């Protein structure tokens, strides 16, 4: 897999010292693709309202089904072409602070293990 490097915190294009767009490939590009897909909200695209993660429709709802949340996250990660297995998706909800933590692990076609710990925290804003 090959792509354009994005800043992991701002998601802006990453430029080298000469002002040129940086590229990435291999497992780094795969990890970035996972993060990008997880940040793509359903209905965000004007061309296809069914694409993206249903954060507001199914995940960030009162009394949501944690099994369904795990299945959505697993399917999203598994949809990345270089991913061959998603052995772990865990969802923890802290009702007092009204926060949730999703941890996951995936295995690439090169045998590399990529986890949610490889990224800065993914923060979803309140609706």
């Amino acid at each position: 897999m090959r792509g354009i490097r994005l800043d992991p915190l701002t998601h802006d294009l990453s430029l080298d010292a000469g002002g040129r767009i940086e590229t990435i490939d291999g497992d780094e590009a795969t990890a970035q693709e996972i993060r990008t897909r997880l940040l793509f909200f359903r209905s965000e695209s004007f061309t296809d309202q069914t694409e993206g993660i249903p954060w507001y429709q199914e995940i960030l709802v009162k009394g949501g089904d944690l099994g369904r949340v795990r299945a959505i996250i697993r399917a999203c990660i598994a949809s990345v072409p270089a991913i061959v297995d998603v052995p772990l998706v865990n969802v923890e909800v802290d009702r007092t602070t009204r926060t949730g933590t999703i941890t996951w692990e995936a295995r690439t076609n090169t045998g590399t293990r990529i986890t949610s710990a490889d990224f800065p925290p993914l923060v979803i804003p309140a609706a």
Side-chain angles (χ1 to χ4, degrees), residues 50-120:
T50 63
E51 279 192 66
I53 300 286
W55 287 108
Y56 295 132
Q57 296 86 350
E58 294 187 53
I59 297 175
L60 300 173
V61 296
K62 184 176 181 178
D65 179 359
L66 294 182
R68 174 80 176 129
V69 172
R70 281 189 292 274
I72 290 168
I73 300 299
R74 178 173 274 120
C76 175
I77 296 168
S79 73
V80 173
I83 297 299
V84 294
D85 187 29
V86 185
L88 171 74
V89 174
N90 189 32
V91 179
E92 294 177 23
V93 176
D94 184 339
R95 298 199 187 285
T96 347
T97 60
R98 296 177 51 113
T99 59
T101 304
I102 298 173
T103 53
W104 53 265
E105 177 181 312
R107 194 168 45 87
T108 69
N109 54 11
T110 62
T112 304
R113 188 176 136 259
I114 298 173
T115 71
S116 54
D118 297 332
F119 303 105

